[in-house]
């Protein structure tokens, strides 16, 4: 029940995360047999061959009985798993969506029907992810977190058969780095070795530390102490501040014994 409660209800805009959490919950609860294994094929009945001896035929039938027993056990396990999967899948879908999905006898077929309802949504989601990857820019906060964030965005494309190769993702990440990393990127392009994401993270973190030490730990960070232009004072306020009066005299009412600020 703990695994099942972690499945977010399918509401039309979260198909990707719903499918991922659903498969994870069914796998961890050991109920995903119907989704991972094909339906067993029923063995054909044994037919006595021409001129086959009684002993030989009896031996073949005994061996065949073991095959039949294994088929019955596998079929029973698959039926039980299929029944549980259908219950879990249907219970994790909101009523308006569940009512639009036709009845199916197997969990695999039911999931395909659900997937077909969200093909267009998946395309739109994939387009959003691709745009995010192309426009992503590093603005500080840790180069490791930036790379992992882009890598996670790329991994979300894989369930939709739009996964990016590591080599292409590496170049997208390089394109998202600021000008301080230009020499670092040029050096990578000049060497024959190709990096994977793990190697990229290690080398970028090393380069980030080098840049921080050479720039006084201010790389890619806005200086919060930067002077800002002061807003001009109110003309009326300046007028009275420029009035010349005697000591201990208010510039506002011209009386002694107090000041304008009081």
């Amino acid at each position: 029940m703990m695994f099942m409660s972690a499945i977010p209800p399918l509401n039309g805009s979260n198909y990707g995360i719903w499918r991922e959490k659903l498969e994870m919950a069914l796998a961890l609860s050991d109920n995903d047999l119907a989704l991972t294994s094909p339906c067993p094929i029923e063995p054909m009945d044994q037919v006595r061959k021409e001129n086959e001896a009684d002993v030989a035929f009896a031996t073949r039938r005994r061996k065949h009985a073991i095959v039949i027993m294994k088929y019955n056990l596998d079929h029973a396990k698959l039926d039980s798993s299929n029944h549980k999967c259908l219950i879990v899948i249907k219970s994790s879908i909101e009523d308006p969506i569940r009512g639009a999905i036709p009845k199916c006898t197997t969990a695999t077929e039911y999931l395909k029907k659900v997937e077909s309802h969200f093909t267009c949504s998946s395309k739109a989601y994939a387009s959003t992810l691709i745009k995010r990857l192309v426009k992503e820019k590093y603005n500080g906060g840790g180069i490791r977190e930036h790379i992992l964030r882009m890598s996670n965005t790329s991994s979300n494309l894989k369930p939709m058969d739009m996964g990016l190769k590591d080599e292409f993702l590496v170049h997208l990440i390089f394109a998202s780095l600021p000008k301080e990393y230009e020499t670092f990127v040029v050096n990578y392009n000049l060497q024959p070795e190709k990096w994977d994401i793990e190697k990229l993270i290690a080398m970028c973190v090393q380069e980030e530390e080098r840049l921080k030490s050479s720039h006084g730990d201010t790389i890619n960070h806005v200086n919060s102490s930067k002077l800002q232009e002061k807003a001009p004072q109110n003309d009326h306020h300046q007028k009275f501040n420029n009035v010349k009066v005697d000591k201990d005299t208010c510039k506002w009412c011209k009386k002694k014994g107090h000041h304008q600020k009081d």
Side-chain angles (χ1 to χ4, degrees), residues 3 9 11 26 31 34 41 43 48 57 70 75 102-103 128 130 141 144 147 154 159 178 205 207 213 238 246 258:
F3 298 136
N11 55 23
L26 292 173
N31 287 316
I41 301 176
R48 188 166 184 168
F57 180 60
K70 184 178 183 306
H75 198 275
K103 294 183 179 180
T128 301
I130 292 172
R144 185 194 305 274
I147 296 174
S154 175
V205 169
E207 179 68 9
S213 62
Q238 287 183 344
D246 296 335
H258 66 274

Side-chain angles (χ1 to χ4, degrees), residues 179-227:
K179 63 180 181 179
E180 288 85 357
Y181 290 84
E182 285 181 355
T183 304
F184 176 70
V185 176
V186 170
N187 290 335
Y188 170 78
N189 291 333
L190 292 176
Q191 61 176 317
E193 181 186 3
K194 295 180 181 179
W195 295 348
D196 55 14
I197 298 301
E198 289 76 13
K199 181 68 176 291
L200 176 65
I201 292 175
M203 300 305 294
C204 284
V205 169
Q206 182 179 343
E207 179 68 9
E208 182 184 40
E209 293 300 323
R210 188 190 69 80
L211 290 172
K212 283 183 178 181
S213 62
S214 63
H215 289 79
D217 202 26
T218 58
I219 185 68
N220 291 323
H221 291 279
V222 178
N223 191 348
S224 59
S225 63
K226 183 179 180 181
L227 295 178

Side-chain angles (χ1 to χ4, degrees), residues 226-261:
K226 183 179 180 181
L227 295 178
Q228 300 179 354
E229 295 183 1
K230 292 185 178 181
Q233 293 181 334
N234 184 277
D235 292 340
H236 188 70
H237 183 69
Q238 287 183 344
K239 176 181 177 181
F240 286 100
N241 280 342
N242 294 330
V243 174
K244 293 183 178 180
V245 295
D246 296 335
K247 188 176 181 181
D248 297 331
T249 301
C250 176
K251 294 181 180 180
W252 180 268
C253 65
K254 310 298 188 296
K255 293 182 179 181
K256 294 186 177 181
H258 66 274
H259 297 89
Q260 177 185 349
K261 65 180 181 179

Side-chain angles (χ1 to χ4, degrees), residues 6-258:
I7 305 174
L10 180 61
N11 55 23
S13 61
N14 62 341
Y15 173 76
I17 188 65
W18 170 82
R19 183 67 179 262
E20 179 182 346
K21 294 292 185 181
L22 172 70
E23 292 178 349
M24 182 178 67
L26 292 173
L28 293 176
S29 60
D30 198 21
N31 287 316
D32 63 336
L33 182 64
L35 302 179
T36 59
S37 300
C39 183
I41 301 176
E42 184 177 3
M44 297 179 61
D45 292 335
Q46 292 293 302
V47 179
R48 188 166 184 168
K49 299 178 182 179
E50 187 177 356
N51 300 326
E52 184 178 15
D54 294 341
V55 176
F57 180 60
T59 302
R60 282 202 305 117
R61 294 198 63 180
R62 283 195 299 269
K63 292 180 179 180
H64 184 68
I66 298 175
V67 176
I68 291 292
M69 184 182 300
K70 184 178 183 306
Y71 163 77
N72 291 334
L73 290 174
D74 292 343
H75 198 275
K77 290 180 181 180
L78 194 69
D79 281 347
S80 176
S81 173
N82 183 68
H83 179 65
K84 294 176 182 178
C85 285
L86 280 173
I87 292 176
V88 173
I89 294 171
K90 291 180 180 180
S91 64
S92 64
I93 301 175
E94 293 188 352
D95 291 342
I97 300 175
R98 185 169 64 242
I101 300 172
K103 294 183 179 180
C104 302
T105 57
T106 65
T108 303
E109 183 184 1
Y110 193 85
L111 281 178
K112 289 181 179 179
K113 296 292 184 181
V114 175
E115 183 180 2
S116 65
H117 278 69
F118 292 92
T119 301
C120 295
S121 299
S122 298
K123 290 179 179 178
Y125 180 53
S127 178
T128 301
L129 293 177
I130 292 172
K131 290 179 181 179
R132 186 184 304 170
L133 279 172
V134 173
K135 295 181 180 180
E136 186 80 24
K137 296 297 179 183
Y138 176 54
N139 297 316
I143 192 72
R144 185 194 305 274
E145 289 74 15
H146 171 71
I147 296 174
L148 290 175
R149 184 166 56 251
M150 292 190 67
S151 178
N152 180 66
T153 303
S154 175
S155 65
N156 290 333
L157 292 168
K158 292 181 179 180
M160 295 173 279
D161 297 328
M162 299 182 185
L164 303 178
K165 292 183 178 180
D166 283 352
E167 182 180 355
F168 183 68
L169 180 58
V170 166
H171 284 283
L172 279 179
I173 294 172
F174 276 144
S176 71
L177 299 181
K179 63 180 181 179
E180 288 85 357
Y181 290 84
E182 285 181 355
T183 304
F184 176 70
V185 176
V186 170
N187 290 335
Y188 170 78
N189 291 333
L190 292 176
Q191 61 176 317
E193 181 186 3
K194 295 180 181 179
W195 295 348
D196 55 14
I197 298 301
E198 289 76 13
K199 181 68 176 291
L200 176 65
I201 292 175
M203 300 305 294
C204 284
V205 169
Q206 182 179 343
E207 179 68 9
E208 182 184 40
E209 293 300 323
R210 188 190 69 80
L211 290 172
K212 283 183 178 181
S213 62
S214 63
H215 289 79
D217 202 26
T218 58
I219 185 68
N220 291 323
H221 291 279
V222 178
N223 191 348
S224 59
S225 63
K226 183 179 180 181
L227 295 178
Q228 300 179 354
E229 295 183 1
K230 292 185 178 181
Q233 293 181 334
N234 184 277
D235 292 340
H236 188 70
H237 183 69
Q238 287 183 344
K239 176 181 177 181
F240 286 100
N241 280 342
N242 294 330
V243 174
K244 293 183 178 180
V245 295
D246 296 335
K247 188 176 181 181
D248 297 331
T249 301
C250 176
K251 294 181 180 180
W252 180 268
C253 65
K254 310 298 188 296
K255 293 182 179 181
K256 294 186 177 181
H258 66 274

